[in-house]
Amino acid sequence: MAPSASSAAHAALRAELATLTTEAFRPDLADIDRLPTLDLARLMNAEDAAVSAAVAARLPEIAAAIDATAARMARGGRLVYAGAGTAGRLGVLDASECPPTFNTDPAQVVGLIAGGAPALVTAVEGAEDSRELAAGDLAALGVGPADTVVGVSASGRTPYAVGAVEYARAAGALTIGLSCNAGSALGAAADHAVEVVVGPELITGSTRLKAGTAQKLVLNMLSTITMIRLGKTYGNLMVDVRASNEKLRARSRRIVALATGASDAETEAALEETGGEVKNAVLVVLGGVDGRTAARLLEEAGGHLRAALHLARG
């Protein structure tokens, strides 16, 4: 009896997964369930320690992707992450942290996860298998040539992530494929392939472990260094921080003081003068200008504080 189309497809998928480093079985770990807890913790910690070196091996590719992303965003483009499962959640996490950290508009850095918001807390069956779903999500955003789309997938084969990159590239957007397997379909589909090969997982196929850690590290770099390139920091200070709660208001005062050496009274006066805008307050103190002038100079300088200070000092 001939196999059904469904069983043939399942067999093909099993064969494909068997070729992936992230899915490989490690016989040397077959008895880990018999180990004492401390030994298990040491083993897992040693596995995690190798992730940083795997990321380091891909730094030239990461840097090239960041420079290309920053160039688009400087012209008003958006950064969009697209992934399924853990990869999608990591993208949403990174995107959601940009507004409070860098005072970006929530629409400037966007995280898409296959299956939408419900998929953040529970699996949405079949969502990751749909290229069409990815295309629809990106079409709803109106993705185009100004934007950057990052497909995130540990395996590098997830149809949602690959489909997102294929759609975005056809729309003229810059595309980045972040995966943990060499020679991935995702990398081949993207303008920039970032393939961080961390090897087989402690628990076979559980790519929320080393692969998830590697993806988090790369996404940290991508968003943070892009924001540095866009002038969202002054040195290593978050001068574009949005003071939306008491902790961040206290942090804002500290940042102004660290950047300028101003007294508490001078810091409070500068923040009052600028409506709580940290970057503007630093310019008021160091540039000797009023709040309105600080805002104008920063606009002329494209938001870069060092350039605005140069303008203020003539």
Side-chain angles (χ1 to χ4, degrees), residues 13 56 59 81 101 112 139 165 168 192 209 212 223 265 303 306:
L13 178 56
L59 289 180
Y81 299 127
T101 306
L112 296 177
V165 164
H192 294 266
L209 302 177
S223 59
R306 290 190 190 277

Side-chain angles (χ1 to χ4, degrees), residues 27-252:
D28 59 309
L29 299 180
D31 291 326
I32 62 170
D33 54 330
R34 299 180 178 183
L35 294 176
T37 300
L38 180 57
D39 288 349
L40 273 170
R42 286 175 175 145
L43 178 60
M44 194 165 181
N45 180 244
E47 291 284 303
D48 290 339
V51 174
S52 180
V55 173
R58 300 274 72 86
L59 289 180
E61 292 95 326
I62 294 168
I66 290 169
D67 283 338
T69 300
R72 299 250 178 157
M73 294 193 77
R75 299 194 294 269
R78 297 167 295 177
L79 174 59
V80 181
Y81 299 127
T86 297
R89 294 181 190 103
L90 289 169
V92 171
L93 172 64
D94 199 72
S96 68
E97 290 178 340
C98 285
T101 306
F102 300 112
N103 200 19
T104 59
D105 186 288
Q108 193 174 6
V109 184
V110 180
L112 296 177
I113 182 170
L120 290 171
V121 293
T122 189
V124 176
E125 295 299 328
E128 75 168 44
D129 295 327
S130 177
R131 280 175 160 83
E132 294 73 25
L133 181 59
D137 288 346
L138 290 175
L141 286 178
V143 163
D147 302 317
T148 300
V149 173
V150 185
V152 189
S153 164
S155 68
R157 60 154 302 276
T158 306
Y160 183 88
V162 176
V165 164
E166 289 174 340
Y167 176 90
R169 195 168 186 179
L174 176 75
T175 56
I176 300 167
L178 172 57
S179 75
C180 295
N181 280 291
S184 68
L186 181 60
D191 297 301
H192 294 266
V194 178
E195 297 175 333
V196 183
V197 181
V198 295
E201 298 287 3
L202 182 81
I203 303 299
T204 303
S206 181
T207 52
R208 71 183 183 87
L209 302 177
K210 289 190 297 184
T213 300
Q215 289 168 92
K216 180 67 167 72
L217 291 175
V218 175
L219 293 175
N220 281 350
M221 288 185 185
L222 185 56
S223 59
T224 302
I225 301 175
T226 293
M227 294 302 161
I228 292 172
R229 294 277 78 89
L230 293 176
K232 293 289 188 177
T233 67
Y234 179 64
N236 63 341
L237 295 173
M238 296 190 299
V239 288
D240 253 336
V241 64
R242 178 177 293 168
S244 55
N245 57 42
E246 281 303 318
K247 181 189 77 173
L248 293 178
R249 279 187 281 275
R251 182 176 289 166
S252 295

